[in-house]
Amino acid sequence: MIFDKRLKQIWDKLQAGEPLGFDDGLYLFTTDDLHGLGYMADSYARKLHGDRVYFVVNRHINPTNYCVNRCAFCAFSKTKGREDGYEYTIKEMLEKASEAVAEGAKELHIVSGLHPEWPFEYYLEIVRTLKSAYPNVHIKAYTAVEIEHFSRISGKSIKEVLSLLREAGLDSMPGGGAEILNDRVRSLLCPEKTSWQRWLEIHRCAHELGIKTNCTMLYGHVETIEERVEHLLKLRELQSETGGFQAFIPLAFHPENTKVKVEPVTGIDSLRTVAASRLIFHNVPHVKAYWVMLGEGLAQIALLFGASDLEGTVYEEKITHAAGATSPQGLSKERLLRLIRAVGKVPVERDALYNVVRMYA
Ligand code: V47
């Protein structure tokens, strides 16, 4: 049931196939009718995917936490020479991949710090070695921020960098590094980072080369609700041009050990964000509930607020845990099945491109 009249008008607009505008988006973030909002987002997700919730057996690998950028919201990165960090060898990464493959992983999710000394060739070699060892495992690697860094250190264009990575075995790209696509927010949080225009340009280039990507929004720090909606609309506009985004992942900011002194995001804010994004993104197939950041319980409720994907088995999550996440480092496939079934939905194991691996009753 939708009690809020204005929310009902927004629902009618969506039912008539009209995309939501900026003011509609703002309203989704402010209505008191949270149940109505959840009902709308769940109905929308059901229209797209029935009662299916997708998950992937995967593994996250972060090659190093040394990074030349000092983003205020990041507790993961370290400055080489001044702080203790780590650098995996390719052999160590192969061992991690081999464990993951033994556990049935279909995807390796590889995101790295911007190492001050590693050349582009090293990042290429990581992909090449993992792909030749495990040709059937999908490699989702390197955010737009890393791609820009590779372009800078190698003197190659974005298109050349992406083409070389693809030749080496890169299959798709994760959606990190978007934060909030806005100059004000970026100047406060991450002035050295890829501009928002460039972030979009790199994803556009990847899509034009046939490389699927994801997109994200880091919320709950210094951004306003208006800036969140603006961010979602910028992503939606690119999607309407290219169709290259597979999923949107809202990322709940974790403040511990960071320079951004705010209270952690509330559960209600996260549910609103999942639901609002599901309704604004009429053209992005999936909204993911990222249990690492939401916690298992809230991630389950997000599956009733428009999320149609529960990312993933993960194993060895470092970025959010450096910032105080209390969720486990990974979840077994059996646990994901249990979480999904408990909300009355049907778990579907997928590969990285959303092909069905197995449908569970
Ligand atoms: O790029 C950094 C964010 C991202 C913090 O594409 C933080 O399938 C919260 O992008 N608190 C990495 N968030 C995670 C990410 C991701 C995760 C799962 C799936 C996919 C996908 C992508 O996490 C970073 C940054 O935006 N982040 N620090 C923090 N303190």
Side-chain angles (χ1 to χ4, degrees):
M1 281 288 285
I2 305 167
F3 291 107
D4 179 334
K5 284 204 184 85
R6 168 92 174 91
L7 203 54
K8 177 77 175 62
Q9 286 167 358
I10 294 177
W11 185 227
D12 291 341
K13 194 169 170 180
L14 267 174
Q15 303 269 63
E18 255 183 84
L20 300 187
F22 180 78
D23 290 341
D24 302 322
L26 272 188
Y27 198 77
L28 299 179
F29 277 100
T30 48
T31 174
D32 289 332
D33 188 0
L34 193 69
H35 285 108
L37 180 67
Y39 165 80
M40 283 163 55
D42 188 47
S43 307
Y44 203 82
R46 283 176 192 275
K47 213 159 80 176
L48 296 172
H49 307 293
D51 52 9
R52 293 185 293 279
V53 168
Y54 293 80
F55 70 93
V56 66
V57 178
N58 66 353
R59 167 132 198 171
H60 287 204
I61 299 178
N62 305 118
T64 181
N65 60 352
Y66 285 127
C67 191
V68 296
N69 280 356
R70 302 304 308 162
C71 301
F73 60 82
C74 183
F76 170 71
S77 68
K78 302 282 178 213
T79 302
K80 190 151 190 203
R82 275 201 272 140
E83 293 169 292
D84 277 342
Y86 70 86
E87 295 160 345
Y88 288 148
T89 60
I90 294 190
K91 187 164 167 277
E92 284 169 319
M93 289 185 256
L94 263 175
E95 280 161 13
K96 288 175 192 301
S98 134
E99 279 168 28
V101 172
E103 288 154 9
K106 300 282 178 294
E107 173 191 278
L108 296 173
H109 171 125
I110 303 171
V111 171
S112 180
L114 312 181
H115 194 285
E117 291 140 17
W118 286 357
F120 173 43
E121 185 52 43
Y122 188 73
Y123 290 93
L124 264 181
E125 195 53 35
I126 294 173
V127 172
R128 197 178 291 123
T129 310
L130 291 175
K131 194 63 173 187
S132 62
Y134 303 106
N136 297 325
V137 176
H138 181 107
I139 299 195
K140 179 175 76 178
Y142 305 139
T143 67
V145 178
E146 288 149 276
I147 301 297
E148 188 191 47
H149 175 70
F150 301 157
S151 159
R152 200 176 311 121
I153 59 178
S154 67
K156 297 183 193 308
S157 69
I158 297 295
K159 192 172 174 183
E160 284 173 303
V161 164
L162 287 171
S163 304
L164 286 167
L165 281 166
R166 195 175 49 180
E167 270 170 45
L170 176 138
D171 296 298
S172 71
M173 278 168 57
E179 322 316 356
I180 294 283
L181 300 171
N182 173 279
D183 288 334
R184 186 193 76 86
V185 175
R186 286 180 117 68
S187 72
L188 291 173
L189 289 187
C190 46
E192 304 142 322
K193 196 171 215 160
T194 319
S195 71
W196 65 265
Q197 292 89 339
R198 190 86 163 136
W199 189 97
L200 289 171
E201 202 181 300
I202 292 168
H203 280 261
R204 177 183 281 108
C205 184
H207 298 171
E208 282 168 1
L209 290 170
I211 300 170
K212 293 281 185 194
T213 72
N214 288 332
C215 52
T216 58
M217 174 173 76
L218 180 67
Y219 65 94
H221 39 82
V222 302
E223 87 288 6
T224 63
I225 296 300
E226 285 78 2
E227 286 161 345
R228 286 191 200 180
V229 176
E230 204 187 276
H231 174 99
L232 298 173
L233 293 177
K234 282 175 180 153
L235 292 173
R236 189 177 79 180
E237 195 181 319
L238 178 60
Q239 178 73 344
S240 69
E241 286 171 43
T242 65
F245 290 129
Q246 300 203 100
F248 169 72
I249 309 109
L251 302 172
F253 177 55
H254 282 56
E256 217 176 292
N257 307 322
T258 77
K259 297 198 185 76
V260 184
K261 301 299 168 208
V262 292
E263 285 288 309
V265 174
T266 68
I268 296 299
D269 190 12
S270 287
L271 291 178
R272 266 183 199 288
T273 306
V274 169
S277 51
R278 174 61 286 167
L279 295 168
I280 291 170
F281 281 129
H282 62 90
N283 55 2
V284 176
H286 294 280
V287 173
K288 273 192 200 180
Y290 189 33
W291 60 261
V292 170
M293 291 186 183
L294 296 176
E296 291 175 58
L298 197 58
Q300 272 186 302
I301 306 174
L303 300 179
L304 299 171
F305 271 69
S308 51
D309 189 314
L310 186 61
E311 156 91 16
T313 51
V314 178
Y315 285 106
E316 221 192 357
E317 199 288 331
K318 288 179 183 290
I319 297 173
T320 327
H321 284 83
T326 52
S327 52
Q329 287 278 333
L331 291 180
S332 66
K333 180 155 118 179
E334 290 64 38
R335 184 72 185 155
L336 293 179
L337 293 176
R338 179 138 191 240
L339 294 177
I340 296 168
R341 283 179 172 139
V343 299
K345 299 228 174 182
V346 176
V348 180
E349 184 181 345
R350 63 170 175 89
D351 68 10
L353 296 172
Y354 287 85
N355 299 303
V356 174
V357 173
R358 180 167 167 195
M359 189 118 169
Y360 290 82

